Each structure stands twice: as C-alpha cells, then as structure tokens.
Amino acid sequence: MPTNYSIYAIPAFWLLSLIPHNYAIYTITSANNGKWDNSNPRSSNWDKKLQSTVPAECFRRYERAEAAHKNGMENLALFATAIVLGNMAGLEAGTLNMVAGAVLALRAIYNVVYVTVGDSRKSFARTGIWATSVGCCFYLIVKAGNVLAVR
C-alpha cells in the first residue's frame, strides 16, 4: 500500500499560489528602480502609479501574475476540501496522491500560462487548465461523498 502524501499537497498548493505574487513583485521592481510600496501594495493609486512608470507589457505581466496568485488563493479552499474529504472517507492513498499530484502539476502549468500568455485567444488554454484542476477536485469530493453517504 502506498504512503499517503496528499495532505502535504495542501501547503504545496499554497506555495505554488504564492510564486506568481513573488514574480509580480520582482517584475515590477526590476522595471521601477526597485520601488515597491509594501505599506499599501493593494492600493489602486499604487497600481495607477506603477502603470504610468513602467513599460506597458511589464505592467500587463505584473497584473497577470497577481491574478494568477489571487486565483490560486481562491481555489485553495476547494482543493483543501477535496483532500480532507478524501482522507476522511478513507480513499485509497494512490488515488489521493494521483489527484493531488495532478492538481499541483496543473497549478504550476496554469501559473506559467497565466503569466506568459497575453493573447486573448490563447488565454483559453488557461481556462481549460483551470477547469481540469477543478474537475479533479470535484472528482475527489464526489468519490468521498459516495463513501461517506453509506457509512
């Protein structure tokens, strides 16, 4: 029987979701003489100032990286719920590990695609990656629900 590593995927997902935020700060400070307002980084005034002081493509990449970060944090609850429910239901470790690994891989790919793809038509690949990762989470939730319903 394989070892169940799925619970460790929860902090791994959080870390993968933090990487785009760190990249966003690196990108914008590299183009802005190292300036970053850490006292109020979510201010719309700060974003306006950044937009006016850095090249347009740099600012768009910064925005996409921040959006990838926010999307990861928004989806963390669904992923964690799926993993916890799967473990509560006693699903096989192989299943839990496989789905957790797939979601982590999809999150990493999603981050790269979100940050690097600026073309509207090509951005639908990102949506497909996201939908697949959500489907993986729903798969675990339904599988766990089926087990828990008959207990």
Side-chain angles (χ1 to χ4, degrees), residues 29 37 39 48 60 70 82 85 99 113 121 127 137 141 146:
T29 56
D37 182 3
S39 65
K48 286 178 189 172
R60 286 191 295 271
K70 291 173 186 172
L85 286 174
V99 173
V113 171
R121 222 178 299 137
T127 304
C137 293
I141 292 169
N146 290 341

Side-chain angles (χ1 to χ4, degrees), residues 15-16 33 45-46 48 63 69 90 111 120 129 132 144:
L15 287 170
L16 278 172
N33 295 322
N45 290 335
W46 177 241
K48 286 178 189 172
E63 285 184 309
H69 162 66
N111 286 343
S120 182
I129 296 164
T132 303

Side-chain angles (χ1 to χ4, degrees), residues 56-78:
E57 178 50 35
C58 176
F59 186 74
R60 286 191 295 271
R61 185 174 282 253
Y62 160 79
E63 285 184 309
R64 290 191 306 268
E66 283 295 311
H69 162 66
K70 291 173 186 172
N71 179 274
M73 294 303 174
E74 292 161 359
N75 283 274
L76 176 59
L78 177 64

Side-chain angles (χ1 to χ4, degrees), residues 52-111:
S52 67
T53 60
V54 300
E57 178 50 35
C58 176
F59 186 74
R60 286 191 295 271
R61 185 174 282 253
Y62 160 79
E63 285 184 309
R64 290 191 306 268
E66 283 295 311
H69 162 66
K70 291 173 186 172
N71 179 274
M73 294 303 174
E74 292 161 359
N75 283 274
L76 176 59
L78 177 64
F79 177 66
T81 299
I83 294 297
V84 170
L85 286 174
N87 277 279
M88 284 177 56
L91 299 182
E92 293 180 7
T95 299
L96 290 165
N97 291 340
M98 180 187 65
V99 173
V103 172
L104 292 177
L106 288 164
R107 175 53 47 181
I109 294 166
Y110 177 89
N111 286 343

Side-chain angles (χ1 to χ4, degrees), residues 10-34:
I10 297 171
F13 188 100
W14 183 84
L15 287 170
L16 278 172
S17 298
L18 188 62
I19 290 170
H21 175 65
N22 292 328
Y23 176 76
I25 293 172
Y26 168 79
T27 299
I28 209 74
T29 56
S30 295
N32 197 28
N33 295 322

